[in-house]
Amino acid sequence: MSEVLRVEGLSAGYGDLIAVHDVSFSIGQGDVFVLLGANGAGKTTILRCITGLMSPRQGRIIAGGAELIGKKAHEVAKLGVSHVPEGRRVFTHLSVEENLGVSFIDARAKGRTLRQAIDEIYALFPRLSERRKQHAGTMSGGEQQMLAIGRALMNAPDLLMLDEPSLGLSPLMAELVFERLAVIRAGGTSILLVEQNSSCLELADRGLMLANGHVVLAGDRAALEDSDMVRRAYLGTN
Amino acid sequence: MNLAQALLSGLLIGGVYGLFSIGFSLAFGVMRIVNFAHGGVVMLGMYVGLYAFDASGIDLLVSIPAALIAGGLLGATLYVTFYARFVGKATLQQLLLAIALGLIIQVLAQMAFGPNAQSIRSAWGSQYLIIGTMFASYAQIAAFGVAVVATLAVEALLHGTRWGHAVRAVADDAEAAGIVGLDAQRINLGAFSLSCALAALAGSVLVTYYPVSPPVGFGLMPIALIATVIGGLGSVKGAFFGGLICGVVEQVASTAWTPALQDVPLYALLLIFLAVRPFGLFGRPSAH
């Protein structure tokens, strides 16, 4: 099975604080991989290191045969790794269509025109099509999350990384987002998901759990679901 | 001078104020750079206009492209050499650097061009269009026309092209722009070059009826600041309307009151806006 991402011995921190310690994992083609853990466990730090928003202290991050460490965020995006950041971070003063348009990378067009790429996103999220002229800042949280995901899909990524996409959404909207993620995975895109919401486990192939920056558990979905640690933290059962 | 004449003159010079304020506002809106050397670039644009006229005898057809190119190159140089490291920060260090650069530009201009005021003796500047009791020189009218066209072109660029959308995306959230594949540093370089090109363009049309000397640049900075605040920080059309308002207020105050105190109502206007509507005419209350 071919890999879309390999993280080896990753350590990172802020000042004296070590946020992530010696984390290793890999994600196969078409897999959904989840990073579990409480707030402050280091999940977001790992995504920020992969995307080039932060420099790790140690380790290697390989995607598409290239070392990502040392690359800038826009170079990582061109290698087919997309990041839907915590808090969505849509361009609030741009319209929905402009948000999508600026996120199209010509080098990753893969034969699509800009128009075709945008229409693919509208097919996935019809709500965005209804709001195409609206400023992103005036939309609901769920719509902004759809746009953030749509924006990340504009460069036809090999790996889509999402940082708590259900945070702040209604249960119905969160359900819709996870249902769309299943469609995206079915299209062959690998997914790296950081989530607090237990629904994400239904989607997962494999994953790991972090506590204070250390990997405390790693395995396939069954192993995660059977773990007492995960059950206590996520499923609300003992 | 009657009031109607003051309104007309104010509107005409206000267009040029608006044009260089757009550039100032763009650098702040996209990069959070407060470029106090912006007036220095306007002043250099005035010398470009002056020498282009001396060399060719044709006013705007030569001076406009020359000023755009010179301003753009100067902007790119200033950005790469000095400003790139301050993007997004709007720190005191950045402010001091910009003031120092403004002073250096002024001193270099004094060494190169001398301290005396110089003006163009163009046919346009001495031909007047008379409308009832009001009059305006062709140079004033042409400068205003260039300012309006340039403002519309910048608006079209920012809202109608992918590059413009990318500039606005970087202004909105530079980090998010990076993760969707936009090279923020390269886009900033283009935006800052455009900012300075607009300053030089404003200078090259202003000099057709307004004498140039090295201190003129710093003298224009209060206008750029006030126009930007009135219009709304980072708003292009806001900065243009802010410039128009500054021009009219200045001319009316000069006519109805005394030229020596023509700037006083401008500062009063600034204080009123900061107190009552700090986000300006076209700004958004939520914007940064």
Side-chain angles (χ1 to χ4, degrees):
Chain A
M1 186 175 61
S2 64
E3 280 174 358
V4 292
L5 181 77
R6 168 175 286 277
V7 172
E8 284 175 12
L10 184 72
S11 296
Y14 308 86
D16 288 338
L17 182 81
I18 294 177
V20 171
H21 184 78
D22 195 22
V23 170
S24 300
F25 62 93
S26 68
I27 304 177
Q29 175 81 50
D31 272 4
V32 174
F33 193 94
V34 292
L35 291 178
L36 306 171
N39 278 333
K43 308 180 302 280
T44 296
T45 302
I46 292 175
L47 294 198
R48 290 180 67 83
C49 287
I50 294 169
T51 311
L53 296 175
M54 182 176 168
S55 300
R57 305 247 167 98
Q58 274 178 357
R60 304 182 67 196
I61 302 173
I62 314 289
E67 172 63 69
L68 299 190
I69 293 175
K71 290 205 162 38
K72 293 185 174 131
H74 66 94
E75 296 167 332
V76 172
K78 289 189 177 66
L79 287 168
V81 176
S82 274
H83 184 179
V84 180
E86 196 176 12
R88 312 187 249 284
R89 306 276 291 270
V90 294
F91 303 120
T92 53
H93 298 156
L94 269 63
S95 70
V96 167
E97 189 137 325
E98 288 169 349
N99 264 274
L100 296 174
V102 295
S103 308
F104 185 66
I105 300 174
D106 292 308
R108 293 192 61 81
K110 297 184 175 172
R112 303 166 303 160
T113 64
L114 173 63
R115 189 68 255 163
Q116 286 166 340
I118 290 176
D119 286 340
E120 281 173 22
I121 304 302
Y122 287 159
L124 192 64
F125 295 111
R127 183 77 70 91
L128 294 180
S129 174
E130 297 163 20
R131 307 262 152 143
R132 59 178 75 192
K133 299 282 178 217
Q134 191 170 334
H135 276 199
T138 63
M139 299 201 302
S140 75
E143 289 163 347
Q144 288 191 18
Q145 190 62 63
M146 292 178 193
L147 179 57
I149 296 171
R151 199 175 62 170
L153 290 172
M154 283 297 289
N155 72 354
D158 302 316
L159 176 66
L160 176 66
M161 307 194 298
L162 304 103
D163 199 343
E164 306 223 19
S166 74
L167 192 69
L169 302 189
S170 68
L172 203 66
M173 193 58 89
E175 199 54 44
L176 177 80
V177 165
F178 285 121
E179 184 243 310
R180 292 288 94 181
L181 290 183
V183 173
I184 293 163
R185 185 256 290 270
T189 306
S190 308
I191 293 175
L192 172 55
L193 186 58
V194 166
E195 201 36 269
Q196 302 273 359
N197 187 324
S198 60
S199 321
C200 72
L201 277 177
E202 294 168 25
L203 208 63
D205 296 302
R206 292 184 307 126
L208 58 78
M209 184 159 183
L210 290 164
N212 297 319
H214 291 75
V215 177
V216 291
L217 178 72
D220 60 13
R221 176 172 57 199
L224 294 171
E225 280 175 342
D226 288 344
S227 150
D228 286 343
M229 253 180 318
V230 174
R231 294 166 84 94
R232 271 199 303 277
Y234 282 86
L235 305 178
T237 56
N238 285 311
Chain B
M1 278 225 290
N2 58 28
L3 199 64
Q5 178 64 46
L7 277 173
L8 177 66
S9 303
L11 206 63
L12 291 176
I13 197 162
V16 180
Y17 290 170
L19 178 55
F20 66 70
S21 299
I22 287 172
F24 182 76
S25 185
L26 193 64
F28 181 79
V30 177
M31 289 156 271
R32 295 286 174 273
I33 288 175
V34 182
N35 184 16
F36 258 94
H38 196 71
V41 183
V42 177
M43 178 265 293
L44 292 179
M46 293 175 85
Y47 280 107
V48 170
L50 185 79
Y51 284 99
F53 174 74
D54 278 355
S56 67
I58 311 168
D59 295 34
L60 301 175
L61 289 178
V62 173
S63 63
I64 285 177
L68 283 173
I69 292 167
L73 289 176
L74 178 63
T77 308
L78 289 177
Y79 181 77
V80 171
T81 318
F82 300 106
Y83 285 124
R85 71 198 74 177
F86 292 106
V87 165
K89 301 199 181 106
T91 56
L92 181 63
Q93 287 90 328
Q94 183 267 298
L95 207 60
L96 294 174
L97 167 77
I99 293 171
L101 287 174
L103 288 169
I104 290 168
I105 289 172
Q106 182 173 329
V107 170
L108 291 177
Q110 193 141 335
M111 287 161 66
F113 310 120
N116 297 328
Q118 299 178 59
S119 52
I120 289 181
R121 294 203 176 278
S122 108
W124 292 21
S126 51
Q127 282 177 10
Y128 289 87
L129 187 70
I130 295 165
I131 317 153
T133 59
M134 298 183 292
F135 61 89
S137 74
Y138 286 112
Q140 281 174 296
I141 295 166
F144 182 79
V146 168
V148 170
V149 169
T151 302
L152 292 174
V154 172
E155 276 283 296
L157 189 66
L158 290 176
H159 291 272
T161 69
R162 261 177 88 195
W163 183 79
H165 296 166
V167 169
R168 286 163 54 221
V170 170
D172 208 318
D173 188 334
E175 192 175 276
I179 66 176
V180 301
L182 297 171
D183 183 349
Q185 282 288 3
R186 215 180 68 197
I187 289 161
N188 286 339
L189 174 64
F192 198 82
S193 304
L194 176 62
S195 159
C196 289
L198 293 170
L201 174 64
S204 74
V205 294
L206 186 60
V207 78
T208 57
Y209 65 93
Y210 194 99
V212 56
S213 61
V216 163
F218 261 113
L220 291 170
M221 281 317 296
I223 303 264
L225 275 172
I226 295 169
T228 302
V229 170
I230 291 176
L233 292 177
S235 163
V236 163
K237 62 173 179 279
F240 182 73
F241 284 107
L244 287 183
I245 291 170
C246 284
V248 168
V249 167
E250 188 188 80
Q251 291 298 315
V252 169
S254 164
T255 305
W257 197 10
T258 158
L261 295 175
Q262 67 174 12
D263 289 339
V264 172
L266 279 183
Y267 289 104
L269 202 61
L270 175 68
L271 292 177
I272 291 167
F273 262 91
L274 286 176
V276 178
R277 203 179 158 86
F279 45 90
L281 292 175
F282 294 91
R284 299 175 186 85
S286 61
H288 308 281

